[in-house]
PDB file of all heavy atoms in Angstrom:
ATOM      1  N   PHE O 205      20.250 -99.228-139.235  1.00  0.00           N
ATOM      2  CA  PHE O 205      19.629 -99.693-138.089  1.00  0.00           C
ATOM      3  C   PHE O 205      17.989 -99.697-138.174  1.00  0.00           C
ATOM      4  O   PHE O 205      17.453-100.760-137.869  1.00  0.00           O
ATOM      5  CB  PHE O 205      20.019 -98.960-136.726  1.00  0.00           C
ATOM      6  CG  PHE O 205      19.428 -99.347-135.442  1.00  0.00           C
ATOM      7  CD1 PHE O 205      19.680-100.569-134.998  1.00  0.00           C
ATOM      8  CD2 PHE O 205      18.320 -98.492-135.004  1.00  0.00           C
ATOM      9  CE1 PHE O 205      19.032-100.883-133.810  1.00  0.00           C
ATOM     10  CE2 PHE O 205      17.640 -99.014-133.896  1.00  0.00           C
ATOM     11  CZ  PHE O 205      17.965-100.180-133.133  1.00  0.00           C
ATOM     12  N   CYS O 272      20.762-101.898-127.359  1.00  0.00           N
ATOM     13  CA  CYS O 272      19.941-101.547-128.496  1.00  0.00           C
ATOM     14  C   CYS O 272      18.510-101.196-128.065  1.00  0.00           C
ATOM     15  O   CYS O 272      17.915-101.756-127.138  1.00  0.00           O
ATOM     16  CB  CYS O 272      19.692-102.775-129.374  1.00  0.00           C
ATOM     17  SG  CYS O 272      18.573-102.789-130.460  1.00  0.00           S
ATOM     18  N   PRO O 273      18.068-100.074-128.580  1.00  0.00           N
ATOM     19  CA  PRO O 273      16.795 -99.491-128.102  1.00  0.00           C
ATOM     20  C   PRO O 273      15.652-100.341-128.506  1.00  0.00           C
ATOM     21  O   PRO O 273      14.485-100.248-127.983  1.00  0.00           O
ATOM     22  CB  PRO O 273      16.654 -98.182-128.751  1.00  0.00           C
ATOM     23  CG  PRO O 273      17.733 -98.038-129.789  1.00  0.00           C
ATOM     24  CD  PRO O 273      18.779 -99.202-129.508  1.00  0.00           C
ATOM     25  N   VAL O 274      15.745-101.353-129.348  1.00  0.00           N
ATOM     26  CA  VAL O 274      14.751-102.186-129.878  1.00  0.00           C
ATOM     27  C   VAL O 274      14.833-103.617-128.973  1.00  0.00           C
ATOM     28  O   VAL O 274      13.689-104.032-128.422  1.00  0.00           O
ATOM     29  CB  VAL O 274      14.814-102.520-131.308  1.00  0.00           C
ATOM     30  CG1 VAL O 274      13.888-103.719-131.643  1.00  0.00           C
ATOM     31  CG2 VAL O 274      14.618-101.297-132.129  1.00  0.00           C
ATOM     32  N   CYS O 275      15.975-104.232-128.902  1.00  0.00           N
ATOM     33  CA  CYS O 275      16.069-105.603-128.352  1.00  0.00           C
ATOM     34  C   CYS O 275      16.991-105.637-127.083  1.00  0.00           C
ATOM     35  O   CYS O 275      17.032-106.750-126.494  1.00  0.00           O
ATOM     36  CB  CYS O 275      16.573-106.565-129.389  1.00  0.00           C
ATOM     37  SG  CYS O 275      18.317-106.395-129.791  1.00  0.00           S
ATOM     38  N   GLY O 276      17.750-104.608-126.846  1.00  0.00           N
ATOM     39  CA  GLY O 276      18.540-104.589-125.597  1.00  0.00           C
ATOM     40  C   GLY O 276      19.911-105.220-125.703  1.00  0.00           C
ATOM     41  O   GLY O 276      20.682-105.048-124.733  1.00  0.00           O
ATOM     42  N   THR O 277      20.176-105.780-126.862  1.00  0.00           N
ATOM     43  CA  THR O 277      21.546-106.346-127.046  1.00  0.00           C
ATOM     44  C   THR O 277      22.646-105.219-127.195  1.00  0.00           C
ATOM     45  O   THR O 277      22.254-104.213-127.693  1.00  0.00           O
ATOM     46  CB  THR O 277      21.564-107.058-128.405  1.00  0.00           C
ATOM     47  OG1 THR O 277      20.536-108.122-128.301  1.00  0.00           O
ATOM     48  CG2 THR O 277      22.867-107.807-128.587  1.00  0.00           C
ATOM     49  N   ILE O 279      25.253-102.771-128.382  1.00  0.00           N
ATOM     50  CA  ILE O 279      25.562-102.164-129.747  1.00  0.00           C
ATOM     51  C   ILE O 279      27.057-102.578-129.873  1.00  0.00           C
ATOM     52  O   ILE O 279      27.887-102.451-129.059  1.00  0.00           O
ATOM     53  CB  ILE O 279      25.390-100.709-129.789  1.00  0.00           C
ATOM     54  CG1 ILE O 279      23.885-100.467-129.661  1.00  0.00           C
ATOM     55  CG2 ILE O 279      25.940-100.088-131.151  1.00  0.00           C
ATOM     56  CD1 ILE O 279      22.966-101.035-130.689  1.00  0.00           C
ATOM     57  N   CYS O 292      23.490-103.198-134.313  1.00  0.00           N
ATOM     58  CA  CYS O 292      22.961-104.180-133.321  1.00  0.00           C
ATOM     59  C   CYS O 292      23.110-105.534-134.074  1.00  0.00           C
ATOM     60  O   CYS O 292      22.508-105.772-135.054  1.00  0.00           O
ATOM     61  CB  CYS O 292      21.454-103.873-133.051  1.00  0.00           C
ATOM     62  SG  CYS O 292      20.848-105.325-132.067  1.00  0.00           S
ATOM     63  N   PRO O 293      23.853-106.263-133.362  1.00  0.00           N
ATOM     64  CA  PRO O 293      24.117-107.745-133.987  1.00  0.00           C
ATOM     65  C   PRO O 293      22.951-108.569-133.958  1.00  0.00           C
ATOM     66  O   PRO O 293      22.953-109.613-134.784  1.00  0.00           O
ATOM     67  CB  PRO O 293      25.222-108.328-133.149  1.00  0.00           C
ATOM     68  CG  PRO O 293      24.966-107.610-131.811  1.00  0.00           C
ATOM     69  CD  PRO O 293      24.486-106.235-132.168  1.00  0.00           C
ATOM     70  N   VAL O 294      21.861-108.220-133.376  1.00  0.00           N
ATOM     71  CA  VAL O 294      20.681-109.086-133.386  1.00  0.00           C
ATOM     72  C   VAL O 294      19.625-108.488-134.469  1.00  0.00           C
ATOM     73  O   VAL O 294      19.163-109.087-135.287  1.00  0.00           O
ATOM     74  CB  VAL O 294      20.055-109.212-132.122  1.00  0.00           C
ATOM     75  CG1 VAL O 294      18.730-109.896-132.045  1.00  0.00           C
ATOM     76  CG2 VAL O 294      20.964-110.022-131.065  1.00  0.00           C
ATOM     77  N   CYS O 295      19.347-107.110-134.274  1.00  0.00           N
ATOM     78  CA  CYS O 295      18.387-106.476-135.148  1.00  0.00           C
ATOM     79  C   CYS O 295      19.017-106.434-136.610  1.00  0.00           C
ATOM     80  O   CYS O 295      18.141-106.480-137.558  1.00  0.00           O
ATOM     81  CB  CYS O 295      18.145-105.115-134.786  1.00  0.00           C
ATOM     82  SG  CYS O 295      17.224-105.088-133.239  1.00  0.00           S
ATOM     83  N   GLN O 296      20.238-106.391-136.770  1.00  0.00           N
ATOM     84  CA  GLN O 296      20.815-106.253-138.140  1.00  0.00           C
ATOM     85  C   GLN O 296      21.750-107.401-138.498  1.00  0.00           C
ATOM     86  O   GLN O 296      22.959-107.378-138.678  1.00  0.00           O
ATOM     87  CB  GLN O 296      21.671-104.954-138.116  1.00  0.00           C
ATOM     88  CG  GLN O 296      20.866-103.736-137.991  1.00  0.00           C
ATOM     89  CD  GLN O 296      21.794-102.409-137.677  1.00  0.00           C
ATOM     90  OE1 GLN O 296      22.151-102.140-136.596  1.00  0.00           O
ATOM     91  NE2 GLN O 296      22.321-101.841-138.792  1.00  0.00           N
TER      92      GLN O 296
HETATM   93 ZN1  LIG D 412      18.797-104.832-131.509  1.00  0.00          ZN
END
Side-chain angles (χ1 to χ4, degrees):
F205 174 73
C272 163
V274 172
C275 72
T277 306
I279 298 300
C292 170
V294 173
C295 294
Q296 296 167 263

